[in-house]
Amino acid sequence: MRRLKYMILLVFVFISGCWDRMEMNDLAFVTGTAMDLSDDGNMLLCSLQIATPSTEGGMSGGGSGSKNNFFIISAEGKNGNEIHQKLQKKSSRHLFYSHRSIVFISERLAKHGIQGVLDIFTHDPRNRLKTYIMVVKGEAGRNILQMNYPLKQVPIEAVREMENSGDDLAVTLKDFFISSESEGVHPVVGVIESDIHSKDPHKQLFKLAGAGVFKDLKLSGLLDINETLGLMWVTNKLKFGRITANLPEGNGEVGMMITHADRKIITQTGHDSVQFKIQLEGQGSLVENNSGLDINEPKNLKLITKALENAAKKLVKDVIFKIQKKYKVDSVGFGQEIYKHNPEKWAILKNQWDTRFPEADILVEVNLIIKGEGMVHSSFEKESE
Protein backbone atom coordinates (compact mmCIF):
# COMPACT_ATOMS: atom_id res chain seq x y z
CA MET A 1 0.00 0.00 0.00
CA ARG A 2 2.82 2.38 0.93
CA ARG A 3 4.55 1.50 -2.33
CA LEU A 4 1.40 2.39 -4.29
CA LYS A 5 1.19 5.78 -2.54
CA TYR A 6 4.79 6.58 -3.51
CA MET A 7 4.11 5.63 -7.12
CA ILE A 8 1.02 7.85 -7.28
CA LEU A 9 2.98 10.74 -5.71
CA LEU A 10 5.76 10.27 -8.29
CA VAL A 11 3.24 10.39 -11.13
CA PHE A 12 1.85 13.68 -9.84
CA VAL A 13 5.36 15.12 -9.64
CA PHE A 14 6.07 14.28 -13.28
CA ILE A 15 2.77 15.55 -14.66
CA SER A 16 2.71 18.73 -12.61
CA GLY A 17 6.41 19.73 -12.52
CA CYS A 18 6.23 21.87 -15.67
CA TRP A 19 2.71 23.22 -15.32
CA ASP A 20 3.89 26.85 -15.60
CA ARG A 21 6.43 26.39 -18.41
CA MET A 22 5.87 28.63 -21.42
CA GLU A 23 6.58 27.24 -24.88
CA MET A 24 8.50 29.21 -27.50
CA ASN A 25 5.37 29.41 -29.63
CA ASP A 26 3.74 31.35 -26.81
CA LEU A 27 6.45 34.05 -26.65
CA ALA A 28 6.93 37.33 -28.52
CA PHE A 29 10.69 38.07 -28.53
CA VAL A 30 11.35 41.77 -27.95
CA THR A 31 14.64 42.77 -29.61
CA GLY A 32 14.61 46.52 -29.00
CA THR A 33 12.72 49.25 -27.15
CA ALA A 34 12.32 52.97 -27.89
CA MET A 35 11.10 55.53 -25.35
CA ASP A 36 9.67 58.88 -26.47
CA LEU A 37 7.55 61.66 -25.07
CA SER A 38 3.98 61.79 -26.27
CA ASP A 39 3.05 64.68 -28.56
CA ASP A 40 1.58 66.69 -25.68
CA GLY A 41 4.63 65.93 -23.51
CA ASN A 42 2.54 64.54 -20.63
CA MET A 43 3.04 60.80 -21.12
CA LEU A 44 5.64 58.27 -22.17
CA LEU A 45 5.41 56.57 -25.55
CA CYS A 46 6.97 53.12 -25.60
CA SER A 47 7.62 51.19 -28.82
CA LEU A 48 8.79 47.58 -29.04
CA GLN A 49 10.52 45.89 -31.95
CA ILE A 50 9.43 42.25 -32.01
CA ALA A 51 11.00 39.52 -34.14
CA THR A 52 8.51 37.99 -36.54
CA PRO A 53 7.87 34.24 -36.06
CA SER A 54 8.85 31.99 -38.95
CA THR A 55 6.37 29.63 -40.58
CA GLU A 56 7.95 26.76 -38.64
CA GLY A 57 7.01 28.33 -35.33
CA GLY A 58 10.40 29.67 -34.31
CA MET A 59 11.89 33.10 -34.97
CA SER A 60 12.88 34.25 -38.44
CA GLY A 61 16.58 34.09 -39.19
CA GLY A 62 19.17 33.85 -41.90
CA GLY A 63 20.29 36.54 -44.32
CA SER A 64 17.41 36.85 -46.73
CA GLY A 65 17.08 40.58 -46.06
CA SER A 66 13.28 40.36 -45.77
CA LYS A 67 11.53 43.53 -44.72
CA ASN A 68 9.06 41.48 -42.66
CA ASN A 69 11.51 40.06 -40.12
CA PHE A 70 10.15 42.32 -37.35
CA PHE A 71 7.17 44.47 -36.48
CA ILE A 72 6.58 47.41 -34.14
CA ILE A 73 3.91 47.95 -31.47
CA SER A 74 3.53 51.15 -29.44
CA ALA A 75 1.54 52.38 -26.45
CA GLU A 76 1.32 55.52 -24.32
CA GLY A 77 1.08 55.64 -20.55
CA LYS A 78 2.04 57.50 -17.40
CA ASN A 79 4.10 54.65 -15.96
CA GLY A 80 5.72 51.38 -16.94
CA ASN A 81 3.01 49.14 -15.55
CA GLU A 82 0.28 50.90 -17.54
CA ILE A 83 2.39 50.84 -20.71
CA HIS A 84 3.21 47.14 -20.39
CA GLN A 85 -0.45 46.27 -19.90
CA LYS A 86 -1.40 48.17 -23.07
CA LEU A 87 1.44 46.62 -25.07
CA GLN A 88 0.53 43.12 -23.96
CA LYS A 89 -3.04 43.70 -25.16
CA LYS A 90 -1.58 44.30 -28.65
CA SER A 91 0.33 41.00 -28.71
CA SER A 92 -1.25 37.56 -28.98
CA ARG A 93 1.92 36.16 -27.40
CA HIS A 94 3.53 36.84 -24.04
CA LEU A 95 6.09 39.66 -24.35
CA PHE A 96 9.55 38.26 -23.61
CA TYR A 97 12.35 40.77 -22.89
CA SER A 98 15.38 38.60 -22.20
CA HIS A 99 16.57 38.86 -25.83
CA ARG A 100 16.30 42.64 -25.93
CA SER A 101 19.70 44.12 -26.77
CA ILE A 102 19.11 47.88 -26.70
CA VAL A 103 16.91 50.69 -25.39
CA PHE A 104 16.66 53.95 -27.37
CA ILE A 105 15.81 57.24 -25.65
CA SER A 106 14.78 60.16 -27.85
CA GLU A 107 16.76 63.38 -27.42
CA ARG A 108 13.54 65.20 -26.51
CA LEU A 109 12.75 62.76 -23.70
CA ALA A 110 16.38 62.71 -22.52
CA LYS A 111 16.37 66.50 -22.12
CA HIS A 112 13.04 66.31 -20.31
CA GLY A 113 14.47 63.74 -17.86
CA ILE A 114 14.50 59.95 -17.72
CA GLN A 115 13.74 59.24 -14.07
CA GLY A 116 10.44 57.63 -14.97
CA VAL A 117 12.07 55.60 -17.72
CA LEU A 118 14.73 54.21 -15.41
CA ASP A 119 12.10 53.17 -12.87
CA ILE A 120 10.64 50.86 -15.52
CA PHE A 121 13.95 49.02 -15.90
CA THR A 122 15.00 48.94 -12.25
CA HIS A 123 11.84 47.55 -10.67
CA ASP A 124 10.77 45.05 -13.31
CA PRO A 125 12.70 41.74 -13.04
CA ARG A 126 11.91 40.95 -16.67
CA ASN A 127 14.46 43.56 -17.77
CA ARG A 128 18.16 42.75 -18.13
CA LEU A 129 20.68 45.32 -16.93
CA LYS A 130 23.13 44.20 -19.66
CA THR A 131 20.86 45.84 -22.23
CA TYR A 132 22.52 48.79 -24.00
CA ILE A 133 21.10 52.31 -23.75
CA MET A 134 21.46 55.03 -26.41
CA VAL A 135 20.13 58.51 -27.17
CA VAL A 136 18.54 59.09 -30.58
CA LYS A 137 19.68 62.45 -31.91
CA GLY A 138 17.10 64.87 -33.30
CA GLU A 139 14.18 62.49 -33.85
CA ALA A 140 11.87 59.97 -32.24
CA GLY A 141 13.43 56.82 -30.87
CA ARG A 142 10.86 54.62 -32.60
CA ASN A 143 12.18 55.82 -35.99
CA ILE A 144 15.38 53.85 -35.44
CA LEU A 145 13.39 50.73 -34.59
CA GLN A 146 11.65 50.89 -37.95
CA MET A 147 14.81 51.00 -40.04
CA ASN A 148 16.13 47.99 -41.92
CA TYR A 149 19.82 47.18 -42.04
CA PRO A 150 21.17 45.26 -45.05
CA LEU A 151 23.72 43.17 -43.15
CA LYS A 152 21.44 42.00 -40.36
CA GLN A 153 18.07 40.27 -40.33
CA VAL A 154 17.06 42.19 -37.19
CA PRO A 155 18.68 45.66 -37.43
CA ILE A 156 18.97 46.20 -33.68
CA GLU A 157 21.64 43.48 -33.62
CA ALA A 158 23.66 45.65 -36.02
CA VAL A 159 23.57 48.53 -33.51
CA ARG A 160 24.73 46.22 -30.73
CA GLU A 161 27.71 45.02 -32.79
CA MET A 162 28.59 48.59 -33.81
CA GLU A 163 28.56 49.57 -30.15
CA ASN A 164 30.92 46.70 -29.36
CA SER A 165 33.35 47.60 -32.16
CA GLY A 166 35.85 49.18 -29.77
CA ASP A 167 36.00 52.80 -30.98
CA ASP A 168 32.43 53.79 -30.07
CA LEU A 169 30.88 54.28 -26.67
CA ALA A 170 28.99 51.21 -25.41
CA VAL A 171 27.00 51.77 -22.21
CA THR A 172 24.61 49.29 -20.61
CA LEU A 173 21.77 50.04 -18.21
CA LYS A 174 23.99 48.65 -15.46
CA ASP A 175 26.82 51.04 -16.40
CA PHE A 176 24.40 53.96 -16.40
CA PHE A 177 22.98 53.08 -12.97
CA ILE A 178 26.46 52.67 -11.47
CA SER A 179 27.63 56.05 -12.80
CA SER A 180 24.44 57.75 -11.61
CA GLU A 181 24.94 56.46 -8.08
CA SER A 182 28.74 56.88 -7.89
CA GLU A 183 30.59 59.71 -6.19
CA GLY A 184 32.09 62.44 -8.38
CA VAL A 185 31.03 61.30 -11.87
CA HIS A 186 28.03 61.66 -14.18
CA PRO A 187 26.87 59.11 -16.79
CA VAL A 188 27.51 59.27 -20.53
CA VAL A 189 25.75 57.17 -23.20
CA GLY A 190 26.19 56.57 -26.91
CA VAL A 191 24.24 58.53 -29.54
CA ILE A 192 22.72 57.29 -32.80
CA GLU A 193 21.07 59.13 -35.69
CA SER A 194 19.64 58.54 -39.17
CA ASP A 195 22.28 58.55 -41.88
CA ILE A 196 20.02 58.96 -44.92
CA HIS A 197 16.95 61.18 -44.61
CA SER A 198 14.06 59.58 -46.44
CA LYS A 199 10.35 59.18 -45.72
CA ASP A 200 10.65 55.47 -46.48
CA PRO A 201 12.22 53.75 -43.42
CA HIS A 202 13.34 50.84 -45.62
CA LYS A 203 15.67 53.22 -47.48
CA GLN A 204 17.23 54.72 -44.36
CA LEU A 205 20.35 53.70 -42.49
CA PHE A 206 21.64 54.72 -39.09
CA LYS A 207 25.06 55.66 -37.75
CA LEU A 208 26.67 56.11 -34.36
CA ALA A 209 27.07 59.84 -33.74
CA GLY A 210 29.04 60.42 -30.54
CA ALA A 211 27.90 60.61 -26.93
CA GLY A 212 25.30 62.20 -24.69
CA VAL A 213 26.28 63.81 -21.38
CA PHE A 214 23.82 63.45 -18.48
CA LYS A 215 23.42 65.29 -15.20
CA ASP A 216 20.65 64.66 -12.66
CA LEU A 217 19.18 62.13 -15.11
CA LYS A 218 18.73 64.81 -17.80
CA LEU A 219 20.65 65.20 -21.05
CA SER A 220 22.96 68.21 -20.71
CA GLY A 221 24.42 68.06 -24.21
CA LEU A 222 25.98 66.03 -27.01
CA LEU A 223 29.56 65.26 -28.02
CA ASP A 224 30.57 64.58 -31.62
CA ILE A 225 32.61 61.60 -32.82
CA ASN A 226 36.03 63.19 -32.24
CA GLU A 227 35.06 64.53 -28.83
CA THR A 228 33.76 61.10 -27.88
CA LEU A 229 37.08 59.51 -28.85
CA GLY A 230 38.86 61.97 -26.56
CA LEU A 231 36.41 61.28 -23.73
CA MET A 232 36.85 57.51 -24.11
CA TRP A 233 40.62 57.92 -23.93
CA VAL A 234 40.45 60.08 -20.80
CA THR A 235 38.04 57.64 -19.13
CA ASN A 236 40.25 54.68 -20.11
CA LYS A 237 37.60 53.05 -22.32
CA LEU A 238 39.33 53.46 -25.68
CA LYS A 239 40.29 50.16 -27.35
CA PHE A 240 41.43 51.71 -30.61
CA GLY A 241 40.97 54.93 -32.55
CA ARG A 242 42.30 57.07 -35.38
CA ILE A 243 44.17 60.39 -35.14
CA THR A 244 45.02 62.70 -38.03
CA ALA A 245 47.55 65.54 -37.79
CA ASN A 246 48.78 68.35 -40.04
CA LEU A 247 52.54 68.57 -40.26
CA PRO A 248 54.22 71.97 -39.75
CA GLU A 249 55.10 74.24 -42.69
CA GLY A 250 52.45 72.66 -44.90
CA ASN A 251 54.26 69.35 -45.25
CA GLY A 252 51.03 67.36 -45.50
CA GLU A 253 49.02 65.09 -43.24
CA VAL A 254 49.68 61.89 -41.35
CA GLY A 255 47.28 59.42 -39.79
CA MET A 256 47.75 56.98 -36.92
CA MET A 257 45.74 53.99 -35.71
CA ILE A 258 45.96 53.68 -31.92
CA THR A 259 45.74 50.04 -30.88
CA HIS A 260 46.79 50.39 -27.23
CA ALA A 261 45.70 53.31 -25.07
CA ASP A 262 46.10 54.11 -21.39
CA ARG A 263 45.63 57.07 -19.10
CA LYS A 264 46.54 58.27 -15.63
CA ILE A 265 45.02 61.18 -13.71
CA ILE A 266 47.15 62.90 -11.06
CA THR A 267 45.20 64.98 -8.55
CA GLN A 268 46.50 67.94 -6.57
CA THR A 269 44.22 69.74 -4.14
CA GLY A 270 45.24 72.81 -2.20
CA HIS A 271 43.34 74.93 0.28
CA ASP A 272 41.53 76.88 -2.42
CA SER A 273 42.61 75.15 -5.63
CA VAL A 274 42.06 71.89 -7.48
CA GLN A 275 44.40 70.74 -10.24
CA PHE A 276 44.45 67.63 -12.40
CA LYS A 277 47.10 66.33 -14.76
CA ILE A 278 45.97 63.84 -17.41
CA GLN A 279 48.77 61.64 -18.72
CA LEU A 280 47.78 59.80 -21.90
CA GLU A 281 49.77 56.94 -23.42
CA GLY A 282 49.19 55.44 -26.84
CA GLN A 283 50.77 52.92 -29.19
CA GLY A 284 49.91 52.16 -32.76
CA SER A 285 50.94 52.26 -36.38
CA LEU A 286 51.10 54.94 -39.03
CA VAL A 287 48.33 54.23 -41.54
CA GLU A 288 48.62 57.35 -43.71
CA ASN A 289 51.45 59.63 -44.81
CA ASN A 290 50.55 62.35 -47.30
CA SER A 291 53.87 64.10 -46.97
CA GLY A 292 57.25 64.04 -48.64
CA LEU A 293 58.98 62.87 -45.46
CA ASP A 294 60.85 59.58 -45.30
CA ILE A 295 59.85 58.25 -41.90
CA ASN A 296 62.80 55.87 -41.83
CA GLU A 297 64.75 59.00 -40.90
CA PRO A 298 64.68 59.36 -37.08
CA LYS A 299 64.26 63.14 -37.22
CA ASN A 300 61.23 62.83 -39.52
CA LEU A 301 59.64 60.18 -37.32
CA LYS A 302 60.16 62.44 -34.32
CA LEU A 303 58.50 65.32 -36.18
CA ILE A 304 55.51 63.17 -37.14
CA THR A 305 55.15 61.79 -33.62
CA LYS A 306 55.17 65.29 -32.16
CA ALA A 307 52.50 66.44 -34.62
CA LEU A 308 50.28 63.49 -33.71
CA GLU A 309 50.79 64.12 -29.99
CA ASN A 310 49.76 67.76 -30.44
CA ALA A 311 46.67 66.68 -32.39
CA ALA A 312 45.71 64.20 -29.67
CA LYS A 313 46.27 66.83 -26.98
CA LYS A 314 44.01 69.31 -28.80
CA LEU A 315 41.33 66.65 -29.25
CA VAL A 316 41.29 65.90 -25.52
CA LYS A 317 41.49 69.54 -24.46
CA ASP A 318 38.53 70.36 -26.71
CA VAL A 319 36.29 67.77 -25.04
CA ILE A 320 37.47 68.79 -21.56
CA PHE A 321 36.63 72.41 -22.37
CA LYS A 322 33.17 71.42 -23.59
CA ILE A 323 32.14 69.40 -20.54
CA GLN A 324 33.85 71.74 -18.09
CA LYS A 325 32.91 75.19 -19.43
CA LYS A 326 29.83 74.62 -21.62
CA TYR A 327 27.94 71.74 -20.00
CA LYS A 328 29.60 72.02 -16.56
CA VAL A 329 29.23 68.29 -16.03
CA ASP A 330 32.00 66.06 -14.66
CA SER A 331 31.59 63.23 -17.16
CA VAL A 332 35.19 62.05 -16.75
CA GLY A 333 35.09 61.45 -13.02
CA PHE A 334 37.63 63.98 -11.73
CA GLY A 335 35.60 64.21 -8.54
CA GLN A 336 35.75 60.44 -8.27
CA GLU A 337 39.55 60.63 -8.43
CA ILE A 338 39.51 62.97 -5.41
CA TYR A 339 37.05 60.67 -3.63
CA LYS A 340 39.28 57.60 -4.17
CA HIS A 341 42.59 59.20 -3.21
CA ASN A 342 41.54 61.83 -0.70
CA PRO A 343 38.08 61.06 0.75
CA GLU A 344 38.47 63.69 3.47
CA LYS A 345 38.99 66.41 0.86
CA TRP A 346 36.06 65.09 -1.18
CA ALA A 347 33.79 65.34 1.87
CA ILE A 348 34.54 69.08 1.83
CA LEU A 349 34.26 69.53 -1.97
CA LYS A 350 31.30 67.23 -2.66
CA ASN A 351 28.53 69.80 -2.17
CA GLN A 352 30.60 72.45 -3.97
CA TRP A 353 31.69 70.33 -6.95
CA ASP A 354 29.13 71.74 -9.39
CA THR A 355 30.76 75.16 -9.00
CA ARG A 356 34.34 74.05 -8.32
CA PHE A 357 34.68 71.67 -11.27
CA PRO A 358 34.22 74.35 -13.98
CA GLU A 359 37.07 76.32 -12.39
CA ALA A 360 39.48 73.40 -11.88
CA ASP A 361 42.88 73.55 -13.61
CA ILE A 362 43.26 70.57 -15.95
CA LEU A 363 46.54 69.84 -17.79
CA VAL A 364 46.98 67.28 -20.57
CA GLU A 365 50.13 65.37 -21.54
CA VAL A 366 50.34 62.89 -24.43
CA ASN A 367 53.05 60.35 -25.21
CA LEU A 368 52.72 58.29 -28.41
CA ILE A 369 54.80 55.39 -29.68
CA ILE A 370 54.59 54.59 -33.40
CA LYS A 371 55.31 51.00 -34.40
CA GLY A 372 55.40 49.47 -37.86
CA GLU A 373 56.17 52.85 -39.43
CA GLY A 374 58.30 51.23 -42.13
CA MET A 375 55.12 50.12 -43.91
CA VAL A 376 54.14 53.71 -44.77
CA HIS A 377 56.71 55.89 -46.52
CA SER A 378 56.20 59.24 -48.24
CA SER A 379 53.26 59.75 -50.55
CA PHE A 380 53.15 57.90 -53.87
CA GLU A 381 53.48 61.13 -55.83
CA LYS A 382 56.56 62.20 -53.92
CA GLU A 383 58.22 58.80 -54.28
CA SER A 384 57.48 58.78 -58.04
CA GLU A 385 59.23 62.11 -58.43
Side-chain angles (χ1 to χ4, degrees):
M1 188 66 180
R2 181 180 297 179
R3 189 173 184 181
L4 179 60
K5 289 181 180 179
Y6 286 145
M7 290 179 66
I8 294 173
L9 179 61
L10 190 61
V11 170
F12 274 109
V13 168
F14 277 116
I15 65 176
S16 63
C18 300
W19 65 272
D20 61 345
R21 188 181 70 176
M22 194 164 293
E23 299 291 340
M24 182 177 290
N25 289 348
D26 298 325
L27 301 176
F29 289 86
V30 177
T31 55
T33 295
M35 302 298 298
D36 299 290
L37 270 181
S38 60
D39 292 338
D40 60 10
N42 295 324
M43 290 195 292
L44 292 172
L45 172 61
C46 179
S47 302
L48 303 182
Q49 184 190 80
I50 300 174
T52 304
S54 67
T55 56
E56 289 77 16
M59 307 314 295
S60 60
S64 64
S66 170
K67 295 179 181 179
N68 299 319
N69 47 23
F70 64 88
F71 64 96
I72 309 295
I73 60 174
S74 301
E76 290 185 358
K78 295 182 178 180
N79 54 65
N81 195 44
E82 179 184 352
I83 290 173
H84 176 77
Q85 184 179 21
K86 290 181 178 180
L87 288 170
Q88 185 60 71
K89 294 292 185 181
K90 295 185 177 184
S91 173
S92 60
R93 297 185 177 194
H94 182 77
L95 296 175
F96 188 72
Y97 295 92
S98 293
H99 287 276
R100 176 171 52 193
S101 57
I102 197 158
V103 173
F104 294 118
I105 309 292
S106 69
E107 184 178 353
R108 179 170 173 245
L109 174 57
K111 289 180 177 179
H112 181 269
I114 61 172
Q115 176 65 53
V117 176
L118 294 183
D119 284 342
I120 296 174
F121 299 107
T122 53
H123 298 136
D124 192 336
R126 295 168 297 189
N127 297 297
R128 296 191 311 159
L129 294 183
K130 290 184 178 181
T131 302
Y132 290 98
I133 180 173
M134 296 190 77
V135 168
V136 179
K137 181 180 178 181
E139 59 185 306
R142 61 185 179 276
N143 291 351
I144 300 295
L145 289 182
Q146 295 170 350
M147 293 182 186
N148 278 276
Y149 195 77
L151 299 180
K152 284 289 178 182
Q153 188 81 355
V154 179
I156 298 307
E157 290 302 307
V159 178
R160 183 178 61 83
E161 292 188 12
M162 291 165 71
E163 283 257 88
N164 281 323
S165 63
D167 58 346
D168 289 296
L169 191 64
V171 177
T172 64
L173 288 169
K174 180 182 178 180
D175 298 330
F176 190 94
F177 293 142
I178 291 175
S179 294
S180 298
E181 298 298 323
S182 297
E183 296 277 355
V185 65
H186 293 285
V188 180
V189 304
V191 172
I192 192 171
E193 67 177 344
S194 300
D195 191 26
I196 301 175
H197 298 284
S198 171
K199 293 182 179 180
D200 184 356
H202 300 300
K203 295 181 180 179
Q204 289 183 329
L205 295 175
F206 42 72
K207 64 179 179 180
L208 302 185
V213 175
F214 279 79
K215 182 179 181 180
D216 299 328
L217 300 181
K218 293 183 179 181
L219 181 66
S220 297
L222 302 177
L223 304 177
D224 63 26
I225 292 294
N226 290 328
E227 293 165 343
T228 301
L229 187 149
L231 180 69
M232 291 177 66
W233 199 347
V234 174
T235 54
N236 217 22
K237 296 177 181 177
L238 185 65
K239 297 179 181 178
F240 65 85
R242 293 177 180 268
I243 298 176
T244 302
N246 293 313
L247 296 177
E249 300 179 3
N251 282 324
E253 292 182 337
V254 290
M256 178 182 181
M257 169 66 81
I258 297 177
T259 54
H260 299 281
D262 197 5
R263 76 94 169 92
K264 182 179 181 181
I265 297 179
I266 300 174
T267 305
Q268 294 179 343
T269 55
H271 179 68
D272 293 319
S273 64
V274 180
Q275 186 179 79
F276 301 95
K277 180 185 290 185
I278 304 173
Q279 295 179 335
L280 302 176
E281 305 284 338
Q283 294 185 21
S285 57
L286 207 62
V287 294
E288 187 175 16
N289 180 17
N290 296 325
S291 74
L293 299 179
D294 182 359
I295 58 178
N296 287 318
E297 293 288 337
K299 64 176 184 179
N300 292 337
L301 181 59
K302 184 177 180 180
L303 178 68
I304 289 173
T305 302
K306 185 64 176 178
L308 288 166
E309 288 176 344
N310 289 337
K313 183 182 296 187
K314 182 180 184 306
L315 184 148
V316 172
K317 291 178 74 173
D318 285 347
V319 69
I320 294 297
F321 178 84
K322 197 165 190 177
I323 65 172
Q324 186 183 25
K325 303 298 184 180
K326 183 178 181 179
Y327 299 147
K328 299 181 180 181
V329 179
D330 186 0
S331 306
V332 172
F334 293 106
Q336 193 172 71
E337 291 294 321
I338 300 176
Y339 170 72
K340 289 191 296 185
H341 297 102
N342 193 344
E344 294 82 7
K345 185 67 176 180
W346 176 247
I348 299 173
L349 293 174
K350 179 178 179 179
N351 295 329
Q352 311 170 17
W353 195 236
D354 285 347
T355 56
R356 295 294 296 272
F357 169 65
E359 304 301 323
D361 189 13
I362 302 175
L363 306 176
V364 180
E365 296 180 355
V366 180
N367 180 38
L368 297 178
I369 299 176
I370 299 176
K371 295 185 176 182
E373 64 275 4
M375 298 297 292
V376 181
H377 297 281
S378 57
S379 66
F380 180 77
E381 290 82 1
K382 294 290 184 181
E383 288 188 355
S384 297
E385 292 177 1

